[in-house]
Amino acid sequence: MLPYSTVFSNHVVSGSLLIAGFYYLLRVKESITHSLLSGLLITLAGSIDVVAFIFLPFLAVTFFNKPLKSKIVFSLACALVLIIYLQLNLYTSGSLRPPSMNKSLWEYPGSVFDSTTLSGLAYHSNFPALLNYAFHMIIGHRGLISYTPVLVFSIWGFVKIYQNKDFKYRQEYLLIFLASSAYVLMYILRSNNYSGYSYGVRWYANLMFLLCLPLAQIRNDIKNSKQLRTAFIIVSCLSIFISFVGVNHPFVAVDEQHPSSFFNALVYTFKPIDTQIYGNNQAMQLSFSHSLLFALKQLRVILIAALAGLSCYLLVNRVKQFIANRPVVEG
């Protein structure tokens, strides 16, 4: 998530709205206002990044056992954003379909996009090609877990939540897991370019806040075991390092010889900075040494990482503290 918090990207904004909507979803019994905010934020996340709409039907399931007033307010809040979103699509493209998935908008002379390459419409030529793509989208050279190894512990957290039938928010967490799985599956089935020249797969930034929440459920296990604590620290540091490399090059060229965007970004990070010459004027060469430019670039990355990391911590910790400060078992 860190690389795409440093560029102009809708994925991080959408992911932030999803976890904020989930936070108010957990609190709908406290106030009708929380039903309103939850509906608005979750639907707004989809209007900013269309695939995030996948979360809406899954999270709406939690309202089946809520008071009628909460159901109505949540539905109206969702409908309000959806109507505006669909009206905007109609106004800009003459169709209710999302422009990014509207094939007719991308079929013109010279376009590199058609139904075989446009994400959301693309498909795979055969089953082995699909399996290869799925492998690299999950644990391969552009994989979800490859670029965020700490999610291995999150998976363990989801398993513990599934096994603990007395956990108060078990249903909500399982729905998050199902919605995230549907999100990943949609991109595996209906895309074929690993999100282009992006570091890792930029589409996954939407999921990171939500997928890391189950780490709270294994906190005591990690604290009470020296081996687990050591493993968690190592894996966490590895995740931070991988993200840090991506901050230097969130968009990096990928080719068949080097299909790993991590490898290419790492090589480019330590590649000597080319001296720029404008025309034949030697005096326009960059005056800084390569080493100084490299140091300044890393200082910039550290500053951005610190600010983004603090923002992430404050947002996720808000949800974690809310869960921790309430009884684990209903009643």
Side-chain angles (χ1 to χ4, degrees):
M1 192 163 192
L2 180 60
Y4 294 102
S5 66
T6 65
V7 297
F8 188 70
S9 168
N10 59 336
H11 307 298
V12 174
V13 177
S14 181
S16 301
L17 290 170
L18 281 175
I19 194 174
F22 183 65
Y23 170 70
Y24 286 110
L25 183 75
L26 299 177
R27 302 185 60 184
V28 293
K29 291 183 179 179
E30 299 176 19
S31 170
I32 198 69
T33 304
H34 294 153
S35 297
L36 173 68
L37 291 171
S38 180
L40 287 174
L41 292 170
I42 293 171
T43 316
L44 190 60
S47 69
I48 289 175
D49 194 343
V50 63
V51 184
F53 276 131
I54 284 179
F55 283 85
L56 188 56
F58 285 93
L59 297 181
V61 171
T62 63
F63 281 85
F64 286 175
N65 60 349
K66 299 292 190 299
L68 179 61
K69 187 184 292 185
S70 294
K71 295 177 184 176
I72 293 174
V73 171
F74 179 81
S75 300
L76 289 176
C78 294
L80 174 63
V81 179
L82 280 170
I83 290 171
I84 296 173
Y85 174 74
L86 293 173
Q87 177 60 35
L88 182 61
N89 289 348
L90 190 63
Y91 176 77
T92 55
S93 66
S95 171
L96 294 176
R97 286 179 295 175
S100 59
M101 297 180 179
N102 191 339
K103 182 175 65 172
S104 62
L105 299 179
W106 300 93
E107 288 188 330
Y108 54 85
S111 174
V112 297
F113 295 104
D114 55 32
S115 59
T116 65
T117 58
L118 193 60
S119 296
L121 300 175
Y123 54 88
H124 300 274
S125 56
N126 52 57
F127 188 65
L130 173 62
L131 289 180
N132 180 70
Y133 188 71
F135 173 80
H136 290 296
M137 283 282 280
I138 298 173
I139 56 175
H141 56 63
R142 300 286 287 275
L144 175 63
I145 295 176
S146 309
Y147 284 73
T148 318
V150 75
L151 288 184
V152 171
F153 285 91
S154 287
I155 294 171
W156 177 27
F158 274 117
V159 171
K160 289 200 67 175
I161 291 168
Y162 175 75
Q163 294 173 338
N164 183 7
K165 296 183 179 180
D166 294 326
F167 180 56
K168 185 176 181 179
Y169 302 108
R170 182 170 178 263
Q171 181 191 48
E172 288 82 355
Y173 270 70
L174 293 180
L175 288 169
I176 284 295
F177 178 78
L178 290 174
S180 299
S181 299
Y183 182 101
V184 173
L185 185 61
M186 184 272 174
Y187 272 118
I188 289 175
L189 295 175
R190 307 303 291 178
S191 74
N192 54 20
N193 66 356
Y194 302 102
S195 74
Y197 285 174
S198 299
Y199 184 75
V201 176
R202 56 184 168 81
W203 300 320
Y204 290 152
N206 295 55
L207 306 177
M208 286 302 107
F209 280 143
L210 293 171
L211 290 184
C212 283
L213 282 178
L215 293 174
Q217 308 309 313
I218 59 173
R219 181 168 177 261
N220 291 333
D221 298 87
I222 292 174
K223 286 179 66 177
N224 296 332
S225 170
K226 184 177 180 180
Q227 290 79 9
L228 280 176
R229 189 164 62 250
T230 301
F232 183 77
I233 291 172
I234 292 172
V235 172
S236 298
C237 290
L238 180 60
S239 290
I240 292 170
F241 173 72
I242 293 172
S243 292
F244 190 81
V245 171
V247 176
N248 278 288
H249 296 282
F251 300 101
V252 58
V254 179
D255 53 41
E256 292 301 322
Q257 286 71 37
H258 302 293
S260 170
S261 57
F262 169 77
F263 177 80
N264 285 339
L266 189 62
V267 170
Y268 292 158
T269 297
F270 295 99
K271 189 177 181 180
I273 300 172
D274 294 330
T275 302
Q276 296 182 17
I277 303 175
Y278 299 93
N280 296 319
N281 189 351
Q282 296 292 329
M284 292 296 291
Q285 293 186 35
L286 294 176
S287 58
F288 295 114
S289 69
H290 293 170
S291 58
L292 179 57
L293 282 175
F294 179 79
L296 289 173
K297 187 175 183 181
Q298 299 311 307
L299 182 63
R300 163 190 164 273
V301 170
I302 292 171
L303 179 61
I304 293 174
L307 292 173
L310 177 62
S311 301
C312 293
Y313 171 78
L314 293 174
L315 185 60
V316 177
N317 196 55
R318 175 77 172 179
V319 184
K320 189 191 76 172
Q321 295 225 348
F322 168 77
I323 295 172
N325 288 341
R326 279 160 174 72
V328 173
V329 182
E330 282 281 0

